[in-house]
Amino acid sequence: MLRSSTWTQALAAARTQVPLLLVLTSAALATACKTGPDLSTDYGQTARENYELATGEFEDRDWDEAIAYADFVRIRFPFSRYAVEAELLVARAEFAQANYLTAQDGFKQFYKLHPTHKHVQNGWCAYMAAVSAYMNAPEGMALLPPHYQRDQAQLQEALVELAYFFDHYSGSSLEPFALKLRDEIKRRLLEHELYVARFYLDRDVPEAAIGRLENAHKNYPGIGLDAEVLFLLGLTYLRMDEVELSRSTFSELQSQHPRHHHGRQARLYLKYIYKTFGPADPNRKRPDRSPRDRSARRGPSSRTPSPRSSPKIAASRRAPAQQGACDPRVRA
């Protein structure tokens, strides 16, 4: 599946940050074995020779041989400056092979062990650790659930890596790309929160859905789904008889998104709330929000099929005017 342009642009920019340190000698290329280096014939005598062989294989996109030569440099010449560069080359080769978890560990280990390296000081290694975690997150594909129905742990980990980047390398040339990556990660996490909220609403457990929606409203603003989050939040409050919270949520939706279709629906709900419950009353008694059935609070897993839009949810998504003058809390 195609990835978004966000990380594509960021990764392309990041790769330009790492020039090859040395030019490959033609003699080394001519003797390199394409089925794997042989200790007796293919390895060089010095750290520099072997590192040049590693970078040559990397340029030829022969990742396994590049890693083999780089590992030889690290093990045979551990105190050489080429051993340090070989460590970074291994992480880059693992990333190129889509071994993202291994690459993430490699980049993290590198910036911890070599804080004075130029690609640590400019934030590139920390940034690539975040990109690796993001790339390791599940993608939707044929016969598998979409990404927002699956485990989001790797996306959460990518946010942790980005937080480290912003804490230590704010203002670097990679910061704009890191910001784009963070927005993309938050968008996907928000899609997951909305999916789980609808999962609970479809099963008539608004007490469980409300936590997801409140979390989405608090933690993922400005992603492009604010109107949808506020609308679902207002509806769910109303279904729970949280009249004043519903009123304030619809008011926020109307004021912030007046031209959005959910903003126009919010005006109708505000009229309904005023007509049914009267003006705002901060002392209005609030309902008991404890769950009615704790067994229903179990969240969806990767084995859970996507909930179909039931008449209950479909009715709650329509504006009051489209439902006649019926109470929007009453579902078909």
Side-chain angles (χ1 to χ4, degrees):
M1 180 173 288
L2 294 176
R3 295 278 186 170
S4 69
S5 59
T6 301
W7 64 262
T8 303
Q9 296 172 357
L11 181 55
R15 282 173 173 166
T16 64
Q17 301 283 325
V18 185
L20 291 176
L21 295 181
L22 300 167
V23 178
L24 178 66
T25 61
S26 59
L29 271 178
T31 58
C33 176
K34 295 305 178 184
T35 59
D38 180 83
L39 181 60
S40 62
T41 60
D42 291 330
Y43 284 115
Q45 297 297 314
T46 66
R48 175 174 177 172
E49 289 178 31
N50 286 285
Y51 180 71
E52 288 175 347
L53 289 170
T55 56
E57 299 296 349
F58 186 90
E59 285 296 288
D60 288 343
R61 306 175 68 85
D62 198 334
W63 316 122
D64 288 335
E65 290 198 11
I67 292 173
Y69 281 118
D71 279 339
F72 182 78
V73 174
R74 293 191 307 112
I75 297 171
R76 189 69 175 272
F77 309 98
F79 302 109
S80 168
R81 68 183 182 91
Y82 294 104
V84 176
E85 301 301 333
E87 287 184 47
L88 186 56
L89 189 66
V90 169
R92 295 171 61 198
E94 295 289 1
F95 184 91
Q97 293 184 95
N99 296 328
Y100 299 121
L101 184 60
T102 305
Q104 179 187 354
D105 290 339
F107 288 121
K108 289 181 65 174
Q109 187 79 354
F110 189 85
Y111 70 64
K112 291 178 180 178
L113 294 178
H114 310 289
T116 61
H117 192 279
K118 62 180 180 180
H119 295 309
V120 175
Q121 291 185 336
N122 66 11
W124 187 84
C125 287
Y127 171 73
M128 287 303 298
V131 174
S132 300
Y134 168 76
M135 295 290 287
N136 197 42
E139 278 290 321
M141 58 184 66
L143 305 180
L144 291 176
H147 66 84
Y148 54 80
Q149 294 185 18
R150 302 171 68 186
D151 183 27
Q152 307 296 304
Q154 282 298 321
L155 290 180
Q156 295 287 359
E157 191 168 344
L159 279 184
V160 173
E161 299 288 0
L162 282 174
Y164 179 88
F165 173 87
F166 290 122
D167 286 343
H168 293 79
Y169 307 106
S170 179
S172 75
S173 60
L174 290 172
E175 185 173 16
F177 302 103
L179 289 170
K180 291 180 181 179
L181 180 61
R182 184 176 64 182
D183 288 345
E184 170 66 12
I185 293 170
K186 287 188 173 183
R187 181 189 65 79
R188 290 181 56 173
L189 289 172
L190 176 56
E191 289 175 350
H192 175 72
E193 292 294 300
L194 291 177
Y195 161 72
V196 176
R198 293 192 184 99
F199 177 92
Y200 286 127
L201 290 173
D202 196 41
R203 286 151 180 79
D204 197 25
V205 193
E207 298 85 356
I210 201 66
R212 294 285 183 166
L213 293 170
E214 289 173 339
N215 177 67
H217 181 47
K218 176 183 178 181
N219 295 327
Y220 306 117
I223 304 300
L225 297 173
D226 294 15
E228 184 173 357
V229 172
L230 287 170
F231 184 68
L232 280 176
L233 189 58
L235 282 179
T236 307
Y237 279 141
L238 200 56
R239 287 173 60 175
M240 297 172 61
D241 292 322
E242 290 278 14
V243 177
E244 298 308 322
L245 289 176
S246 178
R247 191 198 310 266
S248 63
T249 301
F250 282 127
S251 297
E252 181 181 354
L253 173 57
Q254 181 186 13
S255 62
Q256 292 186 1
H257 307 279
R259 297 184 180 181
H260 195 279
H261 67 278
H262 284 322
R264 294 191 292 270
Q265 287 177 306
R267 289 196 294 272
L268 298 175
Y269 275 99
L270 286 171
K271 290 180 180 178
Y272 165 81
I273 291 172
Y274 183 85
K275 181 178 179 180
T276 305
F277 302 101
D281 181 5
N283 297 319
R284 188 185 304 274
K285 184 179 179 181
R286 297 182 61 185
D288 180 12
R289 289 176 59 172
S290 59
R292 290 169 293 177
D293 182 3
R294 293 188 179 274
S295 63
R297 292 179 66 91
R298 290 181 299 174
S301 67
S302 59
R303 297 182 180 179
T304 304
S306 177
R308 296 179 180 179
S309 183
S310 70
K312 295 181 181 180
I313 297 298
S316 68
R317 289 174 180 169
R318 292 195 292 267
Q322 294 172 307
Q323 302 180 44
C326 65
D327 187 336
R329 296 170 296 169
V330 178
R331 302 172 301 284

